[in-house]
């Protein structure tokens, strides 16, 4: 047999000690868990604030980039428009230069011709297709090469020969253009038809097939001799396609 000492007071103290330890462990566990939660919550809050700051920064950058893109697009449109305007101006200047060069060449040929053979000449004859079928435009310049440059008077004729209804036919181009069959001439150096160096417009009958053009300058006073020149209709028309 074994004799066991029975001490109720000691057992109660031991039980109280165990209860106290259990409660202390529970309180510690609660405090530790709460501390961790608080730390993690604070970390999450700080991270959220950082993310909010980053979002604001990125939104600002996006707005700046969007504004810059819009500015560059506007600048690009302006640059393209400016470049197109410059190209148009260059084309216009080139056309103006070509016209001025052509005019200067004409006046030079009248005032200081290369050959000194005196007399009347048809300095220019242009036949240009119109914007409708059977419609055409023309211009002529009659000039004088002379040391004395007397004032000349006379008349001008221009006729087109061809076939109409199977028969040879001759038509007055000047009558078709509305300036009369024999407009008068009166010039010392040159005279153009029309006077503003523009274009005379005329229309041929639908069944008329042109073949040749005859231009006659009939001088009646001033001493110079008359002049007559013959042109092939199709050659003259092909040579001046694209002119206005």
């Amino acid at each position: 047999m074994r004799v066991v000492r029975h001490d109720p007071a000691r057992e109660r103290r031991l039980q109280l000690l165990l209860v106290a330890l259990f409660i202390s462990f529970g309180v510690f566990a609660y405090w530790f868990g709460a501390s961790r939660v608080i730390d993690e919550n604070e970390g999450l809050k700080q991270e959220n604030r950082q993310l909010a700051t980053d979002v604001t920064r990125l939104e600002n950058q996006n707005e700046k980039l969007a504004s810059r893109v819009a500015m560059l697009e506007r600048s690009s449109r302006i640059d393209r428009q400016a470049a197109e305007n410059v190209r148009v101006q260059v084309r216009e200047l080139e056309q103006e230069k070509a016209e001025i060069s052509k005019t200067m060449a004409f006046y030079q040929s009248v005032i200081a011709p290369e050959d000194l053979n005196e007399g009347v000449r048809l300095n220019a004859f242009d036949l240009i297709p119109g914007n409708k079928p059977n419609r055409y435009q023309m211009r002529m310049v009659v000039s004088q090469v002379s040391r004395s440059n007397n004032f000349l008077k006379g008349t001008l004729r221009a006729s087109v020969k061809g076939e109409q209804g199977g028969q040879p036919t001759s038509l007055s181009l000047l009558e078709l253009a509305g300036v009369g069959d024999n407009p008068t001439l009166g010039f010392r150096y040159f005279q153009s038809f029309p006077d503003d160096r523009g274009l005379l417009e005329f229309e041929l009958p639908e069944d008329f097939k042109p073949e040749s053009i005859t231009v006659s300058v009939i001088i009646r006073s001033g001493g110079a001799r008359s002049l007559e020149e013959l042109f092939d209709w199709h050659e003259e028309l092909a040579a001046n396609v694209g002119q206005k």
Side-chain angles (χ1 to χ4, degrees):
M1 292 181 63
R2 183 180 179 187
V3 179
V4 179
R5 185 180 176 182
H6 177 65
D7 189 352
R10 183 172 177 273
E11 290 179 0
R12 283 195 298 272
R13 286 196 297 272
L14 183 58
Q15 291 175 355
L16 290 173
L17 178 60
L18 290 174
V19 171
L21 288 174
F22 180 78
I23 293 172
S24 298
F25 179 77
V27 171
F28 175 77
Y30 175 79
W31 173 82
F32 183 77
S35 178
R36 290 291 302 275
V37 170
I38 292 173
D39 291 340
E40 291 180 359
N41 188 39
E42 186 62 29
L44 291 174
K45 288 182 179 180
Q46 185 175 355
E47 186 176 354
N48 188 48
R49 287 194 295 270
Q50 183 63 39
L51 290 174
T53 302
D54 292 342
V55 168
T56 302
R57 178 175 55 82
L58 291 175
E59 287 178 348
N60 292 334
Q61 289 182 353
N62 187 50
E63 290 180 359
K64 291 180 180 179
L65 290 174
S67 176
R68 186 175 181 184
V69 168
M71 182 183 66
L72 290 175
E73 288 179 349
R74 288 194 299 270
S75 177
S76 177
R77 287 195 297 269
I78 292 173
D79 290 343
R80 287 196 297 270
Q81 185 63 41
E84 181 61 26
N85 291 339
V86 170
R87 283 193 290 268
V88 170
Q89 291 177 3
V90 168
R91 286 196 296 268
E92 291 177 350
L93 289 174
E94 288 177 347
Q95 292 174 357
E96 184 177 355
K97 179 183 176 182
E99 188 64 27
I100 291 175
S101 298
K102 185 177 180 181
T103 303
M104 288 180 61
F106 164 73
Y107 285 117
Q108 185 176 4
S109 67
V110 172
I111 297 174
E114 295 179 359
D115 62 86
L116 297 178
N117 295 326
E118 295 188 2
V120 176
R121 65 171 59 183
L122 186 62
N123 192 269
F125 177 78
D126 294 323
L127 179 64
I128 303 169
N131 54 8
K132 293 182 180 180
N134 299 320
R135 284 210 172 197
Y136 303 92
Q137 296 172 320
M138 67 176 178
R139 56 188 162 205
M140 293 176 284
V141 179
V142 181
S143 64
Q144 175 185 201
V145 179
S146 174
R147 292 181 177 85
S148 59
N149 288 325
N150 295 327
F151 190 84
L152 303 181
K153 292 183 179 181
T155 58
L156 175 68
R157 291 179 181 175
S159 60
V160 55
K161 293 180 180 181
E163 184 179 296
Q164 187 177 17
Q167 299 295 325
T169 305
S170 178
L171 301 175
S172 171
L173 291 178
L174 296 174
E175 269 192 343
L176 293 175
V179 295
D181 185 28
N182 298 301
T184 58
L185 292 172
F187 64 96
R188 188 180 300 277
Y189 298 103
F190 71 93
Q191 186 171 352
S192 61
F193 290 86
D195 292 338
D196 58 358
R197 285 182 56 79
L199 294 167
L200 293 173
E201 188 169 352
F202 63 93
E203 183 175 358
L204 295 178
E206 291 184 2
D207 59 344
F208 182 79
K209 297 179 181 179
E211 296 175 357
S212 63
I213 300 172
T214 302
V215 178
S216 301
V217 179
I218 299 94
I219 301 299
R220 305 196 183 281
S221 66
R225 292 183 299 176
S226 299
L227 171 72
E228 182 175 285
E229 290 197 21
L230 181 67
F231 301 93
D232 183 273
W233 173 278
H234 302 289
E235 289 181 0
E236 291 301 314
L237 194 63
N240 294 294
V241 171
Q243 292 189 22
K244 293 294 180 183

